[in-house]
Amino acid sequence: MVLGVGRRARNLEEFGANMGALAGLTEPAPRHAVTPQDGDVYITSWAKSGTTMTQQMFHQLRMVAATGKTDMDFDDISRMTPWEDTATILDMDMNAPQRAHPRGFKSHREYERLPAGSRYIVTLRDPHETFVSMHRFFDGWHLESGAIPLEEFMPLWLGGGPGGCDYFTHLLSWYARRDEDDTLLVTYRWAAKNQPAMIRRMAGFLGLDLNEEDVAAVAASTSREFMHEYKDRFDDAMVCAVMDEKLGIPASSDSTKVQAAGSDKKSVPEAIAAEIDRMWAERVEPVTGHADYASLAAEIDARTG
């Protein structure tokens, strides 16, 4: 039986109906929640802020450290680093053995809603870029192509994805932890442009020994070109299968998170950009002293080195 509206959403109400149908697919069970273990790592960037790239980097890094080789023998990167906020949708055992140590999990949550005593890897991104990127991601998959233009997308952007929070709550939570030993906080642009340096920093953060050949191997498998070539591994294949079966949304939809080119914040409509800037001025600037994302990113990049 097809649930929800039986197709891609054409408006916000239909999107809500489809998401509500997915949320009710499986009764919550203990296996759907992470039982914390020492050494657990959460890759917990905000939506469309580098999560997929960081998942891939983390998984390849730990596999090279454990086996001497990279590993692309999977259908969905989120099977390698599971996402607790989709566990009931997928009926996934969050505590199933992983291929290498440490265990890694995907999240879009702020610090306060993750298990204390873990380690956290976070990449930050310009909010205007995340707005465009999220719209590109939803349009033609969750949403009928062109049904909800950028001008009407703000309510979905504010949601932040399953189990997430709004952009500003996430940013402030992790900015406050920028000096904590359990948190690796960088900007997405820095990590993408300086992948070998990011890999070395992540390896040190995780306590894994890599030589320069290892670093090069991980960098090669984390490049935009490589990930685009293997984009079927980064397109939410597990969620796509469930949406095909339960919502009537074809699994062949373009759900890939790896685009050939990045998102251009200049395409954000003027009124939307002004509203994002207003929220930044109201919520972020008084806490951080930074009038915009570029200023905050400059601080984080300077601390990264």
Side-chain angles (χ1 to χ4, degrees), residues 17-287:
N18 280 344
M19 294 303 99
L22 285 182
L25 285 178
T26 308
E27 285 294 323
R31 66 182 177 278
H32 298 148
V34 176
T35 301
Q37 295 180 6
D38 289 344
D40 283 350
V41 177
Y42 284 85
I43 296 148
T44 187
S45 306
W46 198 72
K48 312 312 298 174
S49 296
T51 318
T52 304
M53 179 194 74
T54 312
Q55 285 178 275
Q56 169 74 343
M57 188 177 290
F58 169 84
H59 178 60
Q60 300 306 330
L61 191 157
R62 67 178 179 176
M63 289 301 293
V64 165
T67 70
K69 298 179 181 179
T70 56
D71 168 42
M72 291 298 295
D73 185 22
F74 55 84
D75 63 340
D76 187 334
I77 188 62
S78 289
R79 200 183 295 277
M80 301 296 96
T81 49
W83 187 6
E84 186 174 7
D85 294 308
T86 62
T88 54
I89 296 172
L90 302 174
D91 195 18
M92 176 174 280
D93 182 357
M94 292 299 296
N95 299 294
Q98 297 190 14
R99 290 186 183 173
H101 180 81
R103 295 199 312 174
F105 301 96
K106 171 183 173 176
S107 177
H108 291 320
R109 298 184 195 180
E110 70 277 28
Y111 171 73
E112 289 75 13
R113 289 192 298 130
L114 289 173
S118 303
R119 289 175 289 178
Y120 317 95
I121 300 174
V122 185
T123 52
L124 303 178
R125 191 179 189 187
D126 186 300
H128 305 84
E129 291 180 6
T130 71
F131 191 93
V132 176
S133 184
M134 187 181 288
H135 185 268
R136 287 173 68 182
F137 180 56
F138 277 38
D139 192 55
W141 182 29
H142 285 284
L143 307 176
E144 194 69 46
S145 184
I148 300 181
L150 282 163
E151 289 81 0
E152 300 172 16
F153 192 69
M154 179 66 84
L156 295 185
W157 180 75
L158 285 171
C165 57
D166 69 85
Y167 175 92
F168 303 101
T169 294
H170 182 278
L171 176 77
L172 290 171
S173 175
W174 292 110
Y175 180 82
R177 298 193 61 76
R178 63 197 182 281
D179 291 325
E180 301 297 331
D181 291 339
D182 61 10
T183 301
L184 175 57
L185 180 69
V186 300
T187 67
Y188 167 63
R189 191 174 293 276
W190 182 90
K193 287 188 173 182
N194 301 278
Q195 286 193 339
M198 178 63 181
I199 291 161
R200 294 185 197 101
R201 184 171 289 272
M202 190 184 295
F205 178 71
L206 300 175
L208 300 176
D209 293 325
L210 268 69
N211 58 38
E212 286 307 301
E213 277 189 24
D214 297 333
V215 171
V218 175
S221 63
T222 314
S223 69
R224 182 186 291 273
E225 295 75 19
F226 180 92
M227 291 180 65
H228 191 258
E229 180 181 352
Y230 289 92
K231 62 182 182 180
D232 63 312
R233 320 292 170 89
F234 309 106
D235 64 357
D236 277 324
M238 293 186 292
V239 173
C240 281
V242 171
M243 289 175 62
D244 190 330
E245 178 186 358
K246 301 297 185 181
L247 300 182
I249 297 176
S252 59
S253 301
D254 183 9
S255 57
T256 183
K257 298 178 179 180
V258 183
Q259 301 289 338
S263 298
D264 184 358
K265 67 180 182 180
K266 293 178 183 178
S267 60
V268 177
E270 185 175 339
I272 297 295
E275 178 61 12
I276 292 173
D277 292 344
R278 183 196 66 76
M279 288 187 281
W280 182 284
E282 181 179 278
R283 298 187 58 187
V284 180
E285 185 174 5
V287 176

